[in-house]
């Protein structure tokens, strides 16, 4: 069987009405980007999209788009001439892949109402033909193991039976832009990918403190950005903030048990200013209620007091094992657990406050003028993205 099309079903786009065209256009562009290098044709319609394979491997094409946000599922499709014999041969070919004893159902959609066979006629014809030619199968119209789908359209008959589930959600870019605080641990990459499922475009910020943090720790975060970019088809830009001067000043001037609170507050100030620079509408982090000292409700209140910017915490109430499972599914877990410390762990206080009061934190911070160091850190930001890295690699190979 040679499939010549891929059927693409939309996710939450189908819930849109007046502005659905905008979502479809965004999804079309994201699919085209994910399918760069394939010699295909893409037709995005009101309720689904079709990819004409032009000889490309259907599995490779489905692999390339299965993580594009906005796609609910895909199916390899055989387009047939409007012939009863062609439908029968294809139905039997599909059924021969089923296991003995399994059940099936013939499902028919007739977009071309002028076709001479009605829905029941096609179901009766194909169901009977399969039973005659493939032994040990049964028909079950309520709970079948397999469905053989037949779509009668004006330009031909489309048949398929395999359905591959995809990521769903909304196309990236339709939900605005946000800045992800990316530490390199398990939680923050998952938080970013969860927000991207709702159509939000992400840029990431990472704080490093050389020589206390190693170059390997920064490379680990870049690799996480690579994984996230390739998984979603988005070119995620990473902003790397030099944090050594600020962190050593906090270590010298702020009481040890309050230092983590101040560290997180200054990170949030920098994140807010960076988010404004990139026209971001929110900050995203991987905080989980009660997981560590800086993530108690009181700590979050003290840290959040430095900003009026929306802070999204998509993992707030999940169990840790749920987050780990999501990280494994997203392909970020193995990189996140590499043993390179980030700047939050190298200066970790022995006994951090779990209930820091805003007034006390502000009193200690008032003894130091952090503002010039914050501006210096913002001016020292280095940027990284997968595309830029690949372009540099391609250029260096020419030298």
């Amino acid at each position: 069987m040679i499939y010549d099309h891929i059927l693409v079903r939309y996710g939450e786009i189908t819930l849109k009405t007046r502005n659905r065209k905008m979502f479809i256009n965004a999804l079309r562009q994201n699919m085209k980007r994910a399918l760069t290098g394939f010699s295909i044709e893409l037709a995005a319609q009101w309720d689904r999209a079709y990819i004409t394979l032009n000889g490309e491997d259907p599995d490779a094409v489905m692999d390339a788009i299965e993580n594009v946000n906005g796609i609910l599922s895909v199916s390899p499709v055989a387009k047939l001439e409007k012939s009863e014999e062609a439908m029968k041969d294809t139905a039997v070919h599909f059924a021969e892949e089923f296991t003995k004893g399994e059940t099936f159902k013939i499902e028919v959609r007739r977009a071309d109402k002028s076709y001479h066979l009605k829905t029941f006629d096609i179901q009766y014809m194909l169901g009977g033909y399969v039973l005659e030619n493939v032994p040990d199968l049964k028909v079950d119209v309520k709970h079948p193991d397999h469905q053989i789908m037949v779509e009668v359209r004006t330009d031909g008959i489309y048949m398929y039976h395999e359905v591959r589930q995809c990521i769903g959600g909304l196309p990236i870019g339709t939900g605005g832009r946000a800045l992800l605080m990316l530490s390199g641990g398990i939680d923050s990459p998952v938080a970013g990918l969860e927000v991207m499922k709702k159509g939000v475009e992400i840029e990431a910020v990472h704080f490093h403190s050389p020589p206390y943090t190693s170059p390997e720790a920064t490379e680990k975060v870049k690799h996480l950005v690579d994984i996230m970019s390739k998984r979603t088809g988005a070119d995620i830009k990473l902003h790397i903030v030099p944090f050594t001067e600020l962190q050593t000043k906090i270590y010298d001037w702020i009481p040890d048990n309050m230092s983590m609170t101040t560290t997180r507050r200054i990170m949030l100030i920098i994140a807010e200013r960076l988010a404004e620079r990139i026209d971001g509408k929110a900050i995203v982090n991987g905080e989980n209620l009660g997981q560590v000292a800086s993530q108690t409700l009181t700590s979050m209140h003290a840290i959040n007091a430095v900003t009026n910017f929306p802070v999204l915490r998509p993992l707030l109430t999940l169990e840790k094992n749920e987050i780990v499972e999501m990280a494994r599914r997203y392909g970020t877990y193995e990189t996140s657990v590499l043993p390179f410390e980030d700047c939050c762990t190298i200066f970790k206080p022995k006994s951090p406050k779990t209930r820091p009061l805003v007034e006390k934190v502000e009193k200690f911070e008032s003894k130091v003028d952090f503002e010039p160091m914050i501006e210096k850190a913002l001016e020292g930001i280095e940027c990284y993205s997968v595309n830029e890295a690949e372009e540099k690699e391609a250029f260096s190979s020419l030298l």
Side-chain angles (χ1 to χ4, degrees):
M1 170 61 61
I2 298 178
Y3 293 107
D4 46 20
H5 288 73
I6 300 294
L7 166 62
V8 179
R9 300 176 191 83
Y10 301 152
E12 295 182 31
I13 289 176
T14 55
L15 302 176
K16 307 300 178 185
T17 53
R18 293 181 180 177
N19 55 356
R20 186 186 294 192
K21 187 175 180 181
M22 181 269 289
F23 287 90
I24 292 173
N25 287 338
L27 179 59
R28 181 194 293 116
Q29 292 304 317
N30 294 345
M31 283 197 286
K32 280 185 175 179
R33 191 179 302 116
L35 292 169
T36 299
F38 288 98
S39 179
I40 54 90
E41 295 170 45
L42 171 62
Q45 302 172 358
W46 184 251
D47 58 346
R48 55 182 55 191
Y50 282 98
I51 298 170
T52 304
L53 290 172
N54 293 331
E56 297 283 359
D57 177 20
D59 286 322
V61 171
M62 290 192 292
D63 288 345
I65 61 171
E66 68 177 354
N67 291 315
V68 173
N69 293 64
I71 298 177
L72 181 65
S73 64
V74 293
S75 293
V77 174
K79 182 181 177 183
L80 315 173
E81 60 184 20
K82 288 184 174 178
S83 152
E84 295 170 33
E85 292 306 312
M87 282 193 284
K88 288 178 180 178
D89 291 344
T90 303
V92 167
H93 186 91
F94 289 163
E96 287 175 339
E97 298 178 12
F98 304 160
T99 303
K100 290 183 178 180
E102 288 187 321
T103 59
F104 73 96
K105 174 185 179 182
I106 306 292
E107 189 71 41
V108 178
R109 293 179 61 178
R110 287 176 69 251
D112 179 8
K113 302 298 183 187
S114 66
Y115 189 61
H116 69 283
L117 291 178
K118 304 299 182 187
T119 296
F120 179 75
D121 298 331
I122 297 172
Q123 290 173 318
Y124 185 78
M125 175 186 72
L126 295 182
Y129 194 75
V130 168
L131 291 173
E132 289 175 9
N133 291 276
V134 185
D136 300 320
L137 294 181
K138 297 178 182 176
V139 172
D140 184 341
V141 297
K142 292 186 177 179
H143 305 288
D145 297 311
H146 303 279
Q147 290 194 65
I148 296 176
M149 307 296 298
V150 182
E151 294 191 10
V152 181
R153 306 174 75 86
T154 54
D155 62 336
I157 292 177
Y158 295 72
M159 290 185 64
Y160 57 91
H161 72 96
E162 177 187 343
V163 178
R164 185 190 295 193
Q165 294 301 316
C166 300
I167 197 166
L170 294 169
I172 292 173
T174 59
R177 180 179 295 155
L179 183 69
L180 170 67
M181 299 180 75
L182 188 62
S183 67
I186 295 172
D187 300 345
S188 52
V190 175
L193 288 164
E194 283 294 295
V195 169
M196 293 176 83
K197 280 175 63 178
K198 303 307 290 184
V200 176
E201 180 185 356
I202 286 290
E203 294 193 20
V205 59
H206 175 71
F207 297 85
H208 74 149
S209 295
Y212 304 105
T213 55
S214 65
E216 289 83 359
T218 305
E219 290 303 313
K220 169 184 165 180
V221 173
K222 289 180 179 177
H223 187 50
L224 284 169
V225 169
D226 292 347
I227 295 171
M228 296 170 68
S229 295
K230 288 174 182 174
R231 179 173 181 85
T232 59
D235 183 22
I236 300 172
K237 180 177 285 187
L238 172 65
H239 304 266
I240 304 169
V241 179
F243 203 60
T244 309
E245 186 177 13
L246 278 159
Q247 198 156 19
T248 52
K249 186 65 72 174
I250 292 168
Y251 183 78
D252 290 338
W253 284 86
I254 304 297
D256 184 65
N257 62 355
M258 289 282 196
S259 62
M260 183 57 68
T261 304
T262 296
T263 299
R264 299 292 296 176
R265 281 163 59 91
I266 291 180
M267 285 180 171
L268 197 53
I269 291 171
I270 292 173
E272 180 191 86
R273 294 184 190 180
L274 181 56
E276 289 173 342
R277 287 185 183 185
I278 66 169
D279 195 28
K281 304 304 181 192
I283 294 167
V284 182
N285 65 35
E287 288 181 340
N288 182 262
L289 191 59
Q291 188 176 106
V292 294
S294 64
Q295 295 174 20
T296 65
L297 210 52
T298 308
S299 284
M300 289 182 187
H301 176 258
I303 293 166
N304 242 69
V306 298
T307 181
N308 290 319
F309 226 66
V311 179
L312 308 182
R313 299 177 173 89
L315 311 183
L316 187 70
T317 59
L318 298 182
E319 296 289 330
K320 187 66 181 182
N321 60 349
E322 291 179 276
I323 301 171
V324 168
E325 177 57 33
M326 293 164 77
R328 291 185 191 280
R329 193 166 66 247
Y330 284 138
T332 57
Y333 178 79
E334 296 299 332
T335 301
S336 289
V337 297
L338 291 174
F340 303 118
E341 293 182 317
D342 60 53
C343 60
C344 287
T345 54
I346 56 171
F347 287 96
K348 186 178 179 181
K350 293 179 181 177
S351 182
K353 279 275 189 184
T354 56
R355 294 182 178 181
L357 299 177
V358 176
E359 298 77 15
K360 283 193 174 180
V361 179
E362 290 176 343
K363 180 180 177 182
F364 289 124
E365 291 174 359
S366 67
K367 297 177 182 177
V368 187
D369 183 8
F370 287 110
E371 186 56 33
M373 288 176 279
I374 290 172
E375 283 302 314
K376 186 177 176 183
L378 282 163
E379 294 307 313
I381 287 176
E382 296 177 9
C383 293
Y384 167 84
S385 75
V386 175
N387 283 350
E388 290 177 3
E390 289 178 348
E391 286 173 8
K392 285 181 182 177
E393 186 177 350
F395 182 74
S396 64
S397 67
L398 299 174
L399 298 177

